[in-house]
Amino acid sequence: MNNQDSKSTKRSTGHDHSRREFIQNSALVGSGLMMAGGASPLFAAGSKYGPEVHTQNVPSRGYAAFDTSGVLKPWKFERRPVGDNDVLIDVKFASICHSDIHQLKGHWGPQQYPQVPGHEIVGIVAAVGKNVTKFKVGDRAGVGCMVDGCKNGTCCEEHGEQYCPDTVFTYGYPQESSPTGISQGGYSSNIVVNDHFAVHIPENISFEEAAPLLCAGVTTYSPLLKFDLKKGDKVGVAGIGGLGHLAVKLAVSKGAEVTAFTTTADKVEDIKGFGVKNVVVVDDELKVLGDYRGQLDYMINTFPVDYDVAAYAAVVKPFGTYTQVGMPEGFSVSANALGLAASRVNFNASLIGDMKETQEVVNYCADNKVLPEIQVISAEQINQAWEDVVAKKARYRYVIDAATF
């Protein structure tokens, strides 16, 4: 063989090899795009994701805390591959909950860092596992306070996934499948979750307005639902922030006569606009609460700080119901046993809501236009927003544009 023939053979071999690679890759893409039977794509054609998301860690970027200072900084990290029962969601918006601040500052116990907070997450499904039928690529989806768990246990069916010992909460929770060893939240460009723990976001609500419903919405909706709220019921809401303003709007939408208790006087006009019957500004001495003693059928308290439970519980009628949903530092509130006994109130606490309730509240709020008051911010504004939440300056939920991560 002469040199020319050798060169020609090398070119032909290289060409054949390239073509063979192309065919093999095309076949791989084709098999990844379509489920058995050619039904639904497993990942979005033409997107930044390919079939490797099912076998390799998924790159992500977000804002994380690195210590108890609570200062968040940009961070690149990896999610687990998309499993057979998982969905990969490209995050569009994530909103800020006071819980994010408490947890990342170590108020609820020692934390592992770096840690990405955020459990009010909305976006577009970018890839699905082969067993997933609940979602398809391109669907609008949301993720709240839970991302994985047993899903089939009787505890979930009877009491809710949030009370199951196997449930993995959205951030800072030990998770073997996570490359960082813990679950990482929604202040990020994407998230991988078990499909059971994602909900559909209807077309008749914006992403921005849907995000706060995934924690604040369901946390207040769930106890109101269990109280079996009826038209004309006298309901009190204490703490008119992210959770409280949604509690007010939900109760008003059900026909309740709502009395709002706030410690922030410059919120009064806003609160009146939410449809309440009364707004009560409470100072540190709490004396004004005496004027409302025994008047309410039900009370929901959203304070994320310690306070005098008995003083607020006294505004509820004897044998009425009082629910605590705010989670203060150390998870502790102060309750005078004699004060509670004297008011004869049924005191309870409620933890978020289950997945059925989460889908319900999203649908209900979308259909009935019960929408949160929001302020959309960029990622670089997160640290200031956290300070504003603590200083009671938020009006009433900060929502982060994930395009800025």
Side-chain angles (χ1 to χ4, degrees), residues 11 38 45 72 104 119 157 181-182 225 244 246 252 297 351 376 387:
R11 282 199 299 269
L72 273 63
L104 273 296
H119 54 206
E157 295 174 3
I182 59 172
L225 193 69
L246 276 170
V252 168
D297 299 304
L351 180 65
V376 177
E387 292 181 14

Side-chain angles (χ1 to χ4, degrees), residues 98 240 262-264 266-267 282 284 303-305 386-396 398:
H98 206 129
I240 314 302
T262 180
T263 58
T264 309
D266 63 9
K267 290 183 178 180
V282 184
D284 291 342
F303 289 161
V305 295
W386 275 29
E387 292 181 14
D388 290 347
V389 168
V390 174
K392 305 179 186 179
K393 294 179 180 179
R395 297 295 186 272
Y396 283 78
Y398 288 115

Side-chain angles (χ1 to χ4, degrees), residues 90-340:
D90 266 337
V91 179
K92 298 301 180 184
F93 294 92
S95 43
I96 293 173
C97 180
H98 206 129
S99 298
D100 303 341
I101 301 169
H102 276 316
Q103 179 156 322
L104 273 296
K105 288 191 173 184
H107 293 170
W108 292 345
Q111 299 296 314
Q112 176 179 317
Y113 301 99
Q115 185 178 148
V116 177
H119 54 206
E120 296 180 342
I121 310 157
V122 290
I124 300 288
V125 175
V128 298
K130 67 179 184 180
N131 296 337
V132 174
T133 58
K134 180 180 175 183
F135 292 94
K136 64 181 184 301
V137 170
D139 279 353
R140 292 157 54 92
V143 178
C145 299
M146 301 173 282
V147 292
D148 210 343
C150 75
K151 302 170 292 301
N152 298 314
T154 56
C155 62
C156 296
E157 295 174 3
E158 296 175 5
H159 307 297
E161 295 89 345
Q162 70 271 40
Y163 300 112
C164 176
D166 294 329
T167 292
V168 175
F169 291 90
T170 306
Y171 57 88
Y173 212 78
Q175 187 178 31
E176 289 184 7
S177 62
S178 171
T180 64
I182 59 172
S183 52
Q184 300 288 355
Y187 292 16
S188 58
S189 57
N190 55 34
I191 190 166
V192 177
V193 304
N194 184 286
D195 71 327
H196 178 80
F197 294 91
V199 297
H200 289 276
I201 304 299
E203 294 287 348
N204 58 339
I205 186 171
S206 71
F207 276 137
E208 300 94 311
E209 290 170 318
L213 303 178
L214 296 163
C215 173
V218 72
T219 297
T220 51
Y221 177 83
S222 178
L224 288 171
L225 193 69
K226 290 177 175 62
F227 179 67
D228 192 22
L229 194 62
K230 300 179 185 66
K231 187 175 181 178
D233 281 346
K234 293 178 171 59
V235 172
V237 179
I240 314 302
L243 272 69
H245 91 287
L246 276 170
V248 166
K249 289 190 173 194
L250 285 164
V252 168
S253 77
K254 295 286 188 179
E257 293 182 5
V258 178
T259 298
F261 297 85
T262 180
T263 58
T264 309
D266 63 9
K267 290 183 178 180
V268 169
E269 292 306 314
D270 284 350
I271 297 168
K272 287 180 179 178
F274 302 154
V276 301
K277 184 177 181 180
N278 304 298
V279 184
V280 181
V281 179
V282 184
D283 61 20
D284 291 342
E285 295 183 3
L286 306 181
K287 289 181 180 179
V288 70
L289 295 176
D291 297 338
Y292 295 86
R293 185 177 182 85
Q295 293 188 17
L296 304 179
D297 299 304
Y298 178 74
M299 178 79 147
I300 183 169
N301 194 302
T302 72
F303 289 161
V305 295
D306 188 17
Y307 70 100
D308 184 343
V309 173
Y312 278 88
V315 306
V316 179
K317 296 174 182 177
F319 306 109
T321 301
Y322 184 103
T323 300
Q324 176 69 32
V325 295
M327 294 292 163
E329 186 169 344
F331 299 116
S332 298
V333 292
S334 299
N336 182 294
L338 182 59
L340 279 177

Side-chain angles (χ1 to χ4, degrees), residues 38-104:
S40 302
L42 296 182
F43 59 90
S47 78
K48 58 188 172 184
Y49 303 112
E52 68 276 2
V53 298
H54 298 279
T55 58
Q56 300 174 16
N57 289 343
V58 180
S60 188
R61 64 184 186 279
Y63 267 58
F66 292 80
D67 53 44
T68 57
S69 69
V71 175
L72 273 63
K73 301 174 184 177
W75 184 47
K76 291 182 179 180
F77 62 106
E78 293 183 335
R79 303 280 187 186
R80 72 169 182 264
V82 180
D84 292 346
N85 301 302
D86 290 340
V87 292
L88 167 63
I89 298 171
D90 266 337
V91 179
K92 298 301 180 184
F93 294 92
S95 43
I96 293 173
C97 180
H98 206 129
S99 298
D100 303 341
I101 301 169
H102 276 316
Q103 179 156 322
L104 273 296

